[in-house]
Amino acid sequence: MNDISIRMDAIGVGTSDLAASLAFYRLLGLVFPDGAEQLPHVETAPADGIRLMFDPDGDAADRGRGRIALAFHCSDAAGVDAAYEKVTAAGHHGESEPFDAPWGQRYAVVHDPDGNQVDLFA
């Protein structure tokens, strides 16, 4: 994507048991705040700079299966719109058109050829 500034920013993990997932990754040295098991969204930023995010998986059809989402940071709201247009114009599935999210980001979701979620945000 030569015409926009975009960089991989995070990997999201959907989990059917947030407490068990956090305990597992703590064994591997990741640090989460006390009480994180009770939160609706948890993330950590290891030294390499790519955030690892965990979200409870509310869809019963997905429970028991691993699920990931990649998150790409765009330079600005127009960059989100441009990246979404470029990906969907190339024939890839657009899950959520760009929108202004209540948490303050411009946000869109597309799927890669294998159906993995790819979040675009600024």
Side-chain angles (χ1 to χ4, degrees):
M1 297 187 186
N2 307 359
D3 53 341
I4 57 175
S5 174
I6 187 169
R7 66 177 168 79
M8 187 166 153
D9 184 75
I11 299 171
V13 178
T15 176
S16 60
D17 187 337
L18 182 60
S21 290
L22 297 184
F24 174 85
Y25 286 101
R26 281 179 173 128
L27 293 172
L28 297 175
L30 295 182
V31 176
F32 302 99
D34 291 338
E37 297 79 4
Q38 311 310 309
L39 299 174
H41 173 84
V42 179
E43 57 185 71
T44 187
D48 65 9
I50 301 252
R51 293 179 298 141
L52 185 58
M53 306 179 302
F54 294 86
D55 292 289
D57 190 346
D59 186 348
D62 287 333
R63 289 189 183 137
R65 296 187 312 191
R67 210 169 42 93
I68 65 162
L70 304 177
F72 285 79
H73 184 266
C74 300
S75 56
D76 55 24
V80 172
D81 296 352
Y84 181 88
E85 176 60 31
K86 189 171 195 171
V87 169
T88 57
H92 299 286
H93 177 70
E95 180 68 22
S96 295
E97 292 185 6
F99 66 98
D100 294 323
W103 56 87
Q105 294 176 331
R106 182 72 171 167
Y107 210 83
V109 179
V110 295
H111 289 164
D112 74 7
D114 292 309
N116 292 310
Q117 181 172 317
V118 177
D119 300 336
L120 307 169
F121 73 96

